[in-house]
Coordinates of all heavy atoms in Angstrom, one line a residue:
Q76 N -8.6 27.1 28.0 CA -9.9 26.3 27.7 C -9.9 25.9 26.3 O -10.3 24.7 26.0 CB -11.0 27.2 28.1 CG -12.4 26.5 28.0 CD -13.5 27.5 28.3 OE1 -13.5 28.6 28.3 NE2 -14.7 26.8 28.8
K77 N -9.6 26.7 25.4 CA -9.7 26.4 23.9 C -8.7 25.2 23.6 O -9.1 24.2 22.9 CB -9.4 27.5 23.1 CG -9.8 27.4 21.6 CD -9.8 28.7 20.8 CE -10.5 28.5 19.5 NZ -10.6 29.8 18.7
K78 N -7.5 25.2 24.1 CA -6.6 24.2 23.9 C -7.1 22.8 24.4 O -6.9 21.8 23.9 CB -5.2 24.4 24.4 CG -4.5 25.6 23.6 CD -3.1 25.8 24.2 CE -2.3 26.8 23.3 NZ -0.9 27.0 23.8
R79 N -7.6 22.9 25.6 CA -8.2 21.7 26.2 C -9.3 21.1 25.4 O -9.5 19.9 25.3 CB -8.7 22.1 27.6 CG -9.1 20.9 28.5 CD -9.2 21.3 30.0 NE -10.2 22.3 30.2 CZ -10.0 23.6 30.5 NH1 -8.8 24.0 30.6 NH2 -11.0 24.4 30.7
H80 N -10.1 22.0 24.9 CA -11.3 21.5 24.1 C -10.9 21.1 22.7 O -11.7 20.3 22.1 CB -12.4 22.6 24.0 CG -13.1 22.9 25.2 ND1 -14.0 24.0 25.3 CD2 -13.2 22.3 26.3 CE1 -14.5 23.9 26.5 NE2 -14.1 22.9 27.2
F81 N -9.8 21.4 22.3 CA -9.3 20.9 20.9 C -8.6 19.6 21.0 O -8.2 18.9 20.0 CB -8.4 22.0 20.2 CG -9.0 22.9 19.3 CD1 -10.0 23.9 19.8 CD2 -8.9 22.9 18.0 CE1 -10.6 24.8 19.1 CE2 -9.5 23.9 17.2 CZ -10.5 24.8 17.7
H82 N -8.1 19.3 22.3 CA -7.2 18.1 22.5 C -7.8 16.8 21.8 O -7.1 16.1 21.2 CB -7.0 17.9 24.0 CG -6.0 16.8 24.3 ND1 -4.7 16.8 24.1 CD2 -6.4 15.5 24.7 CE1 -4.2 15.7 24.4 NE2 -5.2 14.8 24.9
H83 N -9.1 16.5 22.1 CA -9.6 15.2 21.7 C -9.6 15.2 20.2 O -9.3 14.1 19.6 CB -11.1 15.1 22.2 CG -11.8 13.9 21.7 ND1 -12.6 14.0 20.6 CD2 -11.8 12.6 22.1 CE1 -13.0 12.7 20.3 NE2 -12.6 11.9 21.3
W84 N -9.9 16.3 19.5 CA -9.9 16.3 18.0 C -8.5 16.0 17.5 O -8.3 15.2 16.6 CB -10.5 17.6 17.5 CG -10.6 17.6 16.0 CD1 -9.7 17.8 15.0 CD2 -11.8 17.4 15.3 NE1 -10.2 17.8 13.8 CE2 -11.6 17.5 13.9 CE3 -13.2 17.2 15.7 CZ2 -12.5 17.3 12.9 CZ3 -14.1 17.1 14.7 CH2 -13.8 17.2 13.3
M85 N -7.6 16.7 18.0 CA -6.2 16.6 17.5 C -5.6 15.2 17.8 O -4.8 14.8 17.0 CB -5.3 17.8 18.2 CG -5.5 19.1 17.7 SD -4.5 20.3 18.5 CE -4.9 21.8 17.5
E86 N -5.9 14.6 18.9 CA -5.5 13.3 19.2 C -6.2 12.2 18.3 O -5.7 11.0 18.2 CB -5.7 13.0 20.7 CG -4.7 13.8 21.6 CD -3.4 13.5 21.2 OE1 -2.8 12.4 21.1 OE2 -2.6 14.5 21.0
S87 N -7.3 12.6 17.6 CA -8.0 11.7 16.8 C -7.3 11.4 15.4 O -7.5 10.4 14.7 CB -9.4 12.1 16.5 OG -9.4 13.2 15.7
Y88 N -6.3 12.2 15.1 CA -5.5 12.1 13.8 C -4.6 10.9 14.0 O -4.1 10.4 15.0 CB -4.6 13.2 13.6 CG -5.1 14.6 13.6 CD1 -4.4 15.7 14.0 CD2 -6.3 14.9 12.9 CE1 -4.9 16.9 14.0 CE2 -6.8 16.2 12.9 CZ -6.1 17.2 13.4 OH -6.5 18.5 13.3
K89 N -4.3 10.2 12.8 CA -3.4 9.2 12.8 C -2.1 10.1 12.2 O -2.1 10.5 11.1 CB -3.7 8.1 11.7 CG -2.7 7.0 11.5 CD -3.2 5.9 10.6 CE -2.1 4.7 10.6 NZ -1.0 5.1 9.7
K90 N -1.1 10.2 13.0 CA -0.1 11.1 12.8 C 1.3 10.6 13.2 O 1.5 9.6 14.0 CB -0.4 12.5 13.5 CG -0.6 12.4 14.9 CD -1.0 13.8 15.5 CE -1.2 13.6 17.1 NZ -1.7 14.8 17.6
T91 N 2.3 11.4 12.8 CA 3.7 11.1 13.3 C 3.9 11.7 14.7 O 3.0 12.3 15.4 CB 4.7 11.9 12.4 OG1 4.6 13.3 12.6 CG2 4.5 11.5 10.9
E92 N 5.1 11.5 15.3 CA 5.5 12.0 16.5 C 5.6 13.6 16.2 O 5.7 14.0 15.1 CB 6.8 11.5 17.0 CG 8.0 11.9 16.1 CD 8.2 11.0 14.8 OE1 7.2 10.1 14.5 OE2 9.1 11.2 14.1
P93 N 5.5 14.4 17.3 CA 5.7 15.8 17.1 C 7.1 16.1 16.4 O 8.1 15.6 16.9 CB 5.7 16.4 18.5 CG 4.8 15.4 19.3 CD 5.1 14.1 18.7
I94 N 7.1 17.0 15.5 CA 8.3 17.3 14.7 C 8.6 18.8 14.7 O 7.7 19.6 14.4 CB 8.2 16.8 13.3 CG1 8.2 15.2 13.3 CG2 9.3 17.3 12.4 CD1 8.0 14.7 11.9
K95 N 9.8 19.1 15.2 CA 10.1 20.6 15.4 C 11.3 21.0 14.6 O 11.8 22.2 14.7 CB 10.4 20.8 16.9 CG 9.2 20.6 17.7 CD 9.4 20.9 19.1 CE 8.1 20.6 20.0 NZ 8.4 21.0 21.5
S96 N 12.0 20.2 13.9 CA 13.2 20.5 13.1 C 13.1 20.0 11.7 O 12.5 19.1 11.4 CB 14.5 20.1 13.8 OG 14.5 18.6 13.6
W97 N 14.0 20.7 10.9 CA 14.1 20.3 9.4 C 14.8 18.9 9.3 O 14.4 18.1 8.4 CB 15.0 21.4 8.7 CG 15.0 21.1 7.2 CD1 14.1 21.6 6.3 CD2 15.9 20.3 6.4 NE1 14.5 21.2 5.1 CE2 15.6 20.4 5.1 CE3 17.1 19.6 6.7 CZ2 16.3 19.8 4.1 CZ3 17.8 18.9 5.7 CH2 17.5 19.1 4.4
E98 N 15.6 18.5 10.2 CA 16.3 17.2 10.3 C 15.3 16.1 10.5 O 15.3 15.0 9.9 CB 17.4 17.2 11.3 CG 18.6 18.0 11.0 CD 18.4 19.5 11.1 OE1 17.5 19.9 11.8 OE2 19.3 20.2 10.5
Q99 N 14.4 16.4 11.4 CA 13.2 15.4 11.7 C 12.4 15.2 10.4 O 12.0 14.2 10.1 CB 12.4 15.9 12.8 CG 13.1 15.7 14.2 CD 12.3 16.2 15.4 OE1 12.0 17.4 15.4 NE2 11.8 15.2 16.2
L100 N 12.1 16.4 9.8 CA 11.2 16.3 8.6 C 12.0 15.5 7.5 O 11.4 14.7 6.8 CB 11.0 17.7 8.1 CG 10.0 18.6 8.8 CD1 10.0 20.0 8.3 CD2 8.6 18.0 8.6
K101 N 13.4 15.8 7.4 CA 14.1 15.0 6.4 C 14.1 13.5 6.6 O 14.0 12.7 5.7 CB 15.6 15.5 6.4 CG 16.4 15.1 5.4 CD 16.1 15.7 4.0 CE 17.1 15.3 3.0 NZ 16.8 15.8 1.6
S102 N 14.1 13.1 7.8 CA 14.0 11.6 8.1 C 12.8 10.9 7.7 O 12.7 9.7 7.5 CB 14.2 11.5 9.7 OG 13.1 11.8 10.4
L103 N 11.7 11.7 7.4 CA 10.5 11.1 7.0 C 10.5 10.4 5.7 O 9.7 9.6 5.3 CB 9.3 12.2 7.0 CG 9.1 12.7 8.4 CD1 7.9 13.8 8.2 CD2 8.5 11.7 9.3
N104 N 11.6 10.8 4.8 CA 11.8 10.2 3.6 C 12.0 8.7 3.7 O 11.7 8.0 2.6 CB 13.0 10.8 2.9 CG 12.8 12.2 2.3 OD1 12.1 12.4 1.3 ND2 13.1 13.2 3.1
E105 N 12.4 8.2 4.8 CA 12.6 6.8 5.0 C 11.3 6.0 5.2 O 11.3 4.8 5.1 CB 13.6 6.5 6.1 CG 15.0 7.2 5.9 CD 15.8 7.1 7.2 OE1 15.4 6.4 8.2 OE2 16.9 7.8 7.2
R106 N 10.2 6.8 5.5 CA 9.0 6.1 6.0 C 7.8 6.3 5.0 O 6.8 5.6 5.0 CB 8.5 6.8 7.3 CG 9.5 6.4 8.4 CD 9.5 7.4 9.5 NE 8.2 7.6 10.2 CZ 8.0 8.4 11.2 NH1 9.0 9.1 11.7 NH2 6.8 8.5 11.7
Y107 N 7.9 7.3 4.0 CA 6.8 7.5 3.2 C 7.2 7.6 1.7 O 8.3 8.0 1.3 CB 6.1 8.9 3.6 CG 5.6 8.8 5.0 CD1 6.3 9.4 6.0 CD2 4.4 8.2 5.4 CE1 5.9 9.4 7.3 CE2 3.9 8.1 6.6 CZ 4.6 8.7 7.7 OH 4.2 8.6 8.9

Side-chain angles (χ1 to χ4, degrees):
Q76 186 180 23
K77 194 163 190 177
K78 287 183 176 181
R79 188 166 62 251
H80 286 170
F81 270 67
H82 180 77
H83 178 265
W84 187 280
M85 289 179 171
E86 288 305 307
S87 70
Y88 304 143
K89 184 173 179 288
K90 59 186 179 181
T91 68
E92 68 282 2
I94 291 179
K95 298 182 179 181
S96 70
W97 190 86
E98 288 73 22
Q99 286 179 293
L100 287 169
K101 188 72 174 175
S102 69
L103 296 176
N104 285 280
E105 301 172 6
R106 294 155 57 180
Y107 299 100

